[in-house]
Amino acid sequence: MAYSTEKKLGILGGGQLGRMLIQAAIDFDIYIKAIDPDPSAPCKFIAHEFVNGDFKDYKTVMSFAEDCDVITIEIENVNLEALEDLEKQGKKVFPQPAILRKIKDKRIQKQFYADNQLPTAGFELTDNKDAVQKSSFELPFVNKLGEGGYDGRGVQLIRTNDDFQKAFEEPSLVEQMVDFEKELAVVVARSESGEITTFPVVEMVFHPEANLVEYLFAPAKINEELTQKATSLAKQTAECFGIVGLLAVEMFLTKNGEILINEVAPRPHNSGHHTLKANLVSQFEQHLRAILDLPLGDTSAVGPSAMVNLLGEEGHTGPANYEGMEDVLGLPGVHPFLYGKAITKPFRKMGHITVVDADFDKLKEKVNFVKQTLKVTSKNA
Amino acid sequence: MAYSTEKKLGILGGGQLGRMLIQAAIDFDIYIKAIDPDPSAPCKFIAHEFVNGDFKDYKTVMSFAEDCDVITIEIENVNLEALEDLEKQGKKVFPQPAILRKIKDKRIQKQFYADNQLPTAGFELTDNKDAVQKSSFELPFVNKLGEGGYDGRGVQLIRTNDDFQKAFEEPSLVEQMVDFEKELAVVVARSESGEITTFPVVEMVFHPEANLVEYLFAPAKINEELTQKATSLAKQTAECFGIVGLLAVEMFLTKNGEILINEVAPRPHNSGHHTLKANLVSQFEQHLRAILDLPLGDTSAVGPSAMVNLLGEEGHTGPANYEGMEDVLGLPGVHPFLYGKAITKPFRKMGHITVVDADFDKLKEKVNFVKQTLKVTSKNA
């Protein structure tokens, strides 16, 4: 596709990922239309057009997309039938709906890895609670809902026989526990022409309770061989899917040096948020370039970096207040990305902080300072 | 001022400088209101509120600013009486109106440098055409209009006796021609608390006809001593003014190694556009931090960089078309900033391109490629 500012890009979803995608699109002067059921969604003020509507509804999506040239998503849980029909009508829909179907159901996703010899933790498909109990795996193991999970919901640990009570009755899968050393991620971009790039491997640290990324470092502290291995596995995964757009590939590095795919996200992802400041091109700009079939950007890092998620404090619900922000802004190489959400809730993703520092120890110190200092509270708490 | 997302920032002017300021404000979740007489100004779609109105009109500015906590400008040519009255009412107005008055009239500006022993080219104040002719300076010299000049308009060269015919009849000044080696610039930021930072010195190359910056490099190719000299002169100038916000200081490096102030701009400036990609903090974010009295950011460069202005091609007026954009996007480390102007005109600033490359020769090659390849034309030409 030749570069044109006359194309209209429709985004299903108006959350922070859409917001940062629009921020990238502003530089390219791309006309953006976004849709979200939340009338004060993060995209509301910066989209050229904001539609307050339900992206899970067939008719709403069809009518939303009517005047769009390219359609993309910032959340997977959208009406796939509509996307499939739009694609049949000849609209550019990226990522492709067929890939969204494969990823949406964790059972199909896992089977896809197995079918394509992509390394992943051992699993069995379980049609109901009873099948979970009859699994050949030894306890403890993981039980994952096929469809409908998000940010840790729909994933649970089965430790003891008592836990079988909470096993999913809906179609799910059981997965062997991975004794991992680190959790890694690579964001891959593939354009319509098939050009492919990867961002440097990141190392993620999860919040123990919220099951959300708490912070990450880039590049991951792993040797060159493992870096290559993770990078080429991520690339291979994107190529197997044949995706157009971004694919974030989350991986486990096991204690014996294996790299296993954990799961993928076919869109900008939390594991690429540091790229907004730490790389010559950001994941958001790269997604735009990929789906508009423009040449992909240079993913080189400007230096070691980190990203800290700003989650709403426990016990605080109401108008958000960013306590300690001035102190954090006093650190060199620190930049805030607030998502424009008026209301904070426990563990709600309210923003993130990027840190760039050539010295890895200073980087860690700054991350710790940010984590200890900056709190999203509510005045009405 | 403590960090708060509840403050409302009003910007007089809705052009590209305001647009990039808003882009920085999005990350800070600052509420922005902008005003411009052009109903389709670059800020229109991304400001929380856009007022289509005349920022030169006293009443319009007073009513626009009524619900704003902080007021700033992105163009100097605004109603200063209104800004002065708003300041008297206790509003934060940055840069301060008194400084805008000093800078607006080039005669007062030059006298200010002389009074403060800030080095600048020799000058004489001339009240009319006749006084220009009677100047003690030898031809050729420069004749600058006191008020009303912009982007090269209001500045002319008096080469021969015949040129005295076109000398300004309005209050103006005459200035000795500077035999300069390079044109340099330093963007300084000073916060309300008096914290001060400078961006690395840049070297500007002007378009021979349009009298606009055609491209620039950072850091300037000058020795450490001259770098220090330019940096400290810029800092000293900002301190003499006592400005809160950005001050771009344009300087001449003469052939005998002197550094002279050419002129200043009390706002984000073309000579800082590369900082959007080339520095840990951009000039726009730094301006926000300064006027909101937040700690200033780290101005360190991520590497050598360049910026090429995208000017409308001569002979083209109408809907803009960015010819060659795909080829330019294929270069590593290149990023476009388009200003969202629907209509191109000869020499209109339509956007700019930043280039980051660790190798200075490659940087120059890329700049040349961008200049030769990317053309803003009109389909209706």
Side-chain angles (χ1 to χ4, degrees), chain A residues 245-266:
Chain A
L246 290 188
L247 188 76
V249 184
E250 295 187 69
M251 291 165 279
F252 295 119
L253 168 61
T254 70
K255 291 202 169 136
N256 46 28
E258 267 186 304
I259 292 181
L260 303 175
I261 299 175
N262 176 17
E263 57 181 29
V264 299

Side-chain angles (χ1 to χ4, degrees), chain A residues 1-3 5-6 19 23-29 31 45-49 276-277 279-282 285 289 293-298 302 319-322 325-327 329-342 356 366 379, chain B residues 1-3 5-6 19 23-29 31 45-49 276-277 279-282 285 289 293-298 302 319-322 325-327 329-342 356 366 379:
Chain A
M1 187 188 300
Y3 180 80
T5 56
E6 284 172 16
R19 178 177 169 99
Q23 288 182 265
I26 293 170
D27 292 343
F28 282 71
D29 197 19
Y31 189 99
F45 279 111
I46 62 172
H48 287 80
E49 275 176 73
L276 283 163
K277 277 289 177 178
N279 297 73
L280 292 185
V281 71
S282 77
E285 179 179 340
R289 288 179 181 236
D293 206 20
L294 296 169
L296 298 182
D298 183 351
V302 303
N321 190 27
Y322 300 86
M325 182 61 98
E326 299 102 289
D327 295 324
L329 291 175
L331 294 177
V334 160
H335 184 87
F337 290 88
L338 299 185
Y339 302 155
K341 296 177 183 174
V356 175
K366 287 179 187 174
K379 285 150 267 185
Chain B
M1 186 187 302
Y3 181 80
T5 56
E6 283 172 17
R19 177 176 169 102
Q23 288 182 266
I26 293 170
D27 292 342
F28 282 71
D29 197 19
Y31 189 98
F45 279 110
I46 62 172
H48 287 82
E49 276 176 72
L276 283 163
K277 279 288 177 179
N279 297 74
L280 292 184
V281 70
S282 76
E285 179 179 341
R289 288 179 180 236
D293 206 21
L294 296 168
L296 298 182
D298 183 351
V302 303
N321 189 29
Y322 299 87
M325 182 61 99
E326 300 103 287
D327 296 323
L329 291 175
L331 293 178
V334 159
H335 184 87
F337 290 90
L338 299 186
Y339 302 154
K341 298 178 183 174
V356 175
K366 287 180 186 171
K379 286 151 267 188

Side-chain angles (χ1 to χ4, degrees), chain A residues 286-300:
Chain A
Q286 199 75 318
H287 184 67
L288 273 186
R289 288 179 181 236
I291 65 176
L292 299 176
D293 206 20
L294 296 169
L296 298 182
D298 183 351
T299 60
S300 303

Side-chain angles (χ1 to χ4, degrees), chain B residues 85-353:
Chain B
D85 286 352
L86 289 165
E87 194 180 46
K88 276 181 211 146
Q89 285 177 11
K91 299 263 188 206
K92 305 265 187 192
V93 183
F94 299 128
Q96 303 92 315
I99 299 172
L100 290 177
R101 273 216 187 278
K102 281 187 188 121
I103 292 171
K104 192 181 181 185
D105 186 330
K106 288 206 171 87
R107 293 156 52 99
I108 301 175
Q109 192 187 139
K110 283 293 272 193
Q111 195 58 52
F112 176 82
Y113 301 142
D115 294 347
N116 287 277
Q117 284 88 48
L118 296 165
T120 188
F123 67 98
E124 288 175 4
L125 300 183
T126 43
D127 290 335
N128 49 41
K129 190 183 279 196
D130 193 45
V132 174
Q133 190 150 6
K134 287 181 182 148
S135 151
S136 68
F137 290 168
E138 277 178 33
L139 292 176
F141 60 70
V142 183
N143 185 203
K144 291 183 177 175
L145 203 56
E147 287 198 57
Y150 179 67
D151 262 353
R153 290 188 288 277
V155 175
Q156 59 186 346
L157 196 60
I158 308 290
R159 291 175 206 267
T160 63
N161 284 327
D162 284 354
D163 286 343
F164 283 125
Q165 288 174 28
K166 64 175 183 181
F168 295 117
E169 188 60 77
E170 303 88 342
S172 69
L173 62 88
V174 296
E175 197 179 71
Q176 282 172 329
M177 283 281 287
V178 176
D179 191 18
F180 65 83
E181 180 81 29
K182 288 167 190 272
E183 295 199 55
L184 307 174
V186 172
V187 174
V188 189
R190 188 174 169 278
S191 75
E192 202 182 350
S193 310
E195 188 186 356
I196 194 161
T197 61
T198 52
F199 284 92
V201 187
V202 304
E203 188 172 332
M204 298 178 292
V205 179
F206 282 76
H207 189 286
E209 284 165 75
N211 205 14
L212 295 168
V213 175
E214 187 172 7
Y215 60 96
L216 64 77
F217 291 104
K221 285 243 164 189
I222 54 174
N223 66 32
E224 185 51 33
E225 193 197 330
L226 288 171
T227 299
Q228 287 299 335
K229 207 167 154 181
T231 305
S232 72
L233 175 55
K235 216 171 189 168
Q236 198 191 340
T237 307
E239 271 164 350
C240 282
F241 279 114
I243 196 166
V244 173
L246 291 188
L247 188 75
V249 184
E250 295 186 70
M251 290 166 279
F252 295 118
L253 168 61
T254 68
K255 291 201 168 136
N256 45 28
E258 267 186 302
I259 292 181
L260 304 175
I261 300 174
N262 176 16
E263 57 181 29
V264 298
R267 50 165 171 78
H269 187 252
N270 208 166
S271 61
H273 283 4
H274 62 296
T275 63
L276 283 163
K277 279 288 177 179
N279 297 74
L280 292 184
V281 70
S282 76
Q283 66 165 346
F284 300 98
E285 179 179 341
Q286 198 75 318
H287 184 66
L288 273 185
R289 288 179 180 236
I291 65 175
L292 299 175
D293 206 21
L294 296 168
L296 298 182
D298 183 351
T299 60
S300 302
V302 303
S305 64
M307 187 283 306
V308 183
N309 271 331
L310 266 182
L311 306 176
E313 286 289 303
E314 280 189 277
H316 288 261
T317 299
N321 189 29
Y322 299 87
E323 273 181 41
M325 182 61 99
E326 300 103 287
D327 296 323
V328 163
L329 291 175
L331 293 178
V334 159
H335 184 87
F337 290 90
L338 299 186
Y339 302 154
K341 298 178 183 174
I343 301 299
T344 183
K345 293 176 199 167
F347 302 122
R348 188 173 195 199
K349 287 181 180 170
M350 300 298 290
H352 71 267
I353 302 286

Side-chain angles (χ1 to χ4, degrees), chain B residues 353-372:
Chain B
I353 302 286
T354 55
V355 188
V356 175
D357 199 307
D359 181 311
F360 196 81
D361 290 329
K362 282 193 190 149
L363 194 66
K364 279 212 152 169
E365 273 170 36
K366 287 180 186 171
V367 165
N368 286 330
F369 183 84
V370 172
K371 279 166 52 193
Q372 282 158 22

Side-chain angles (χ1 to χ4, degrees), chain A residues 25-69:
Chain A
I26 293 170
D27 292 343
F28 282 71
D29 197 19
I30 302 291
Y31 189 99
I32 300 271
K33 195 174 163 183
I35 178 170
D36 201 276
D38 176 358
S40 62
C43 288
K44 179 176 182 172
F45 279 111
I46 62 172
H48 287 80
E49 275 176 73
F50 177 76
V51 176
N52 183 212
D54 183 3
F55 46 64
K56 292 183 196 167
D57 179 67
Y58 179 86
K59 278 193 183 162
T60 307
V61 173
M62 292 304 284
S63 110
F64 169 81
E66 202 167 359
D67 63 347
C68 295
D69 300 288

Side-chain angles (χ1 to χ4, degrees), chain A residues 46-342:
Chain A
I46 62 172
H48 287 80
E49 275 176 73
F50 177 76
V51 176
N52 183 212
D54 183 3
F55 46 64
K56 292 183 196 167
D57 179 67
Y58 179 86
K59 278 193 183 162
T60 307
V61 173
M62 292 304 284
S63 110
F64 169 81
E66 202 167 359
D67 63 347
C68 295
D69 300 288
V70 183
I71 297 114
T72 191
I73 54 144
E74 63 107 48
I75 186 165
E76 286 107 302
N77 197 9
V78 298
N79 191 290
L80 286 184
E81 292 72 25
L83 290 186
E84 284 158 345
D85 285 352
L86 288 166
E87 194 180 46
K88 277 181 209 144
Q89 286 177 11
K91 298 262 190 206
K92 305 265 187 192
V93 183
F94 300 127
Q96 304 92 316
I99 299 173
L100 291 176
R101 274 217 187 276
K102 282 188 187 120
I103 293 171
K104 192 181 181 184
D105 187 328
K106 289 208 170 85
R107 293 154 53 96
I108 301 175
Q109 191 185 142
K110 283 293 270 194
Q111 196 55 55
F112 176 82
Y113 302 142
D115 294 346
N116 287 278
Q117 284 89 48
L118 297 166
T120 188
F123 68 98
E124 289 175 3
L125 301 183
T126 43
D127 290 335
N128 50 41
K129 189 183 279 193
D130 194 43
V132 174
Q133 192 150 5
K134 287 182 181 147
S135 152
S136 69
F137 290 168
E138 279 180 30
L139 291 173
F141 60 71
V142 183
N143 184 205
K144 290 182 177 176
L145 203 56
E147 288 199 56
Y150 179 69
D151 262 352
R153 291 186 288 276
V155 174
Q156 58 186 346
L157 196 60
I158 308 290
R159 289 174 208 267
T160 66
N161 284 325
D162 285 353
D163 286 344
F164 284 124
Q165 288 173 27
K166 63 174 185 181
F168 295 117
E169 188 59 80
E170 302 89 343
S172 70
L173 61 89
V174 296
E175 196 180 73
Q176 283 173 326
M177 283 281 288
V178 177
D179 191 17
F180 64 83
E181 180 81 29
K182 290 169 190 270
E183 296 198 56
L184 307 175
V186 172
V187 175
V188 189
R190 187 174 169 280
S191 74
E192 202 184 351
S193 310
E195 188 186 356
I196 194 160
T197 61
T198 53
F199 284 92
V201 187
V202 305
E203 188 172 332
M204 297 179 293
V205 179
F206 282 76
H207 188 286
E209 284 165 76
N211 204 14
L212 294 169
V213 174
E214 188 173 7
Y215 61 97
L216 64 77
F217 291 104
K221 284 242 166 193
I222 54 175
N223 66 32
E224 185 52 31
E225 193 197 331
L226 288 170
T227 299
Q228 286 300 332
K229 208 167 155 181
T231 304
S232 71
L233 176 54
K235 218 171 186 169
Q236 198 190 340
T237 307
E239 271 164 350
C240 282
F241 278 114
I243 196 168
V244 173
L246 290 188
L247 188 76
V249 184
E250 295 187 69
M251 291 165 279
F252 295 119
L253 168 61
T254 70
K255 291 202 169 136
N256 46 28
E258 267 186 304
I259 292 181
L260 303 175
I261 299 175
N262 176 17
E263 57 181 29
V264 299
R267 51 167 171 78
H269 187 252
N270 209 166
S271 61
H273 283 3
H274 62 296
T275 63
L276 283 163
K277 277 289 177 178
N279 297 73
L280 292 185
V281 71
S282 77
Q283 66 166 344
F284 300 98
E285 179 179 340
Q286 199 75 318
H287 184 67
L288 273 186
R289 288 179 181 236
I291 65 176
L292 299 176
D293 206 20
L294 296 169
L296 298 182
D298 183 351
T299 60
S300 303
V302 303
S305 64
M307 185 283 306
V308 183
N309 270 331
L310 268 182
L311 305 176
E313 286 290 303
E314 281 188 277
H316 287 262
T317 299
N321 190 27
Y322 300 86
E323 273 181 40
M325 182 61 98
E326 299 102 289
D327 295 324
V328 163
L329 291 175
L331 294 177
V334 160
H335 184 87
F337 290 88
L338 299 185
Y339 302 155
K341 296 177 183 174

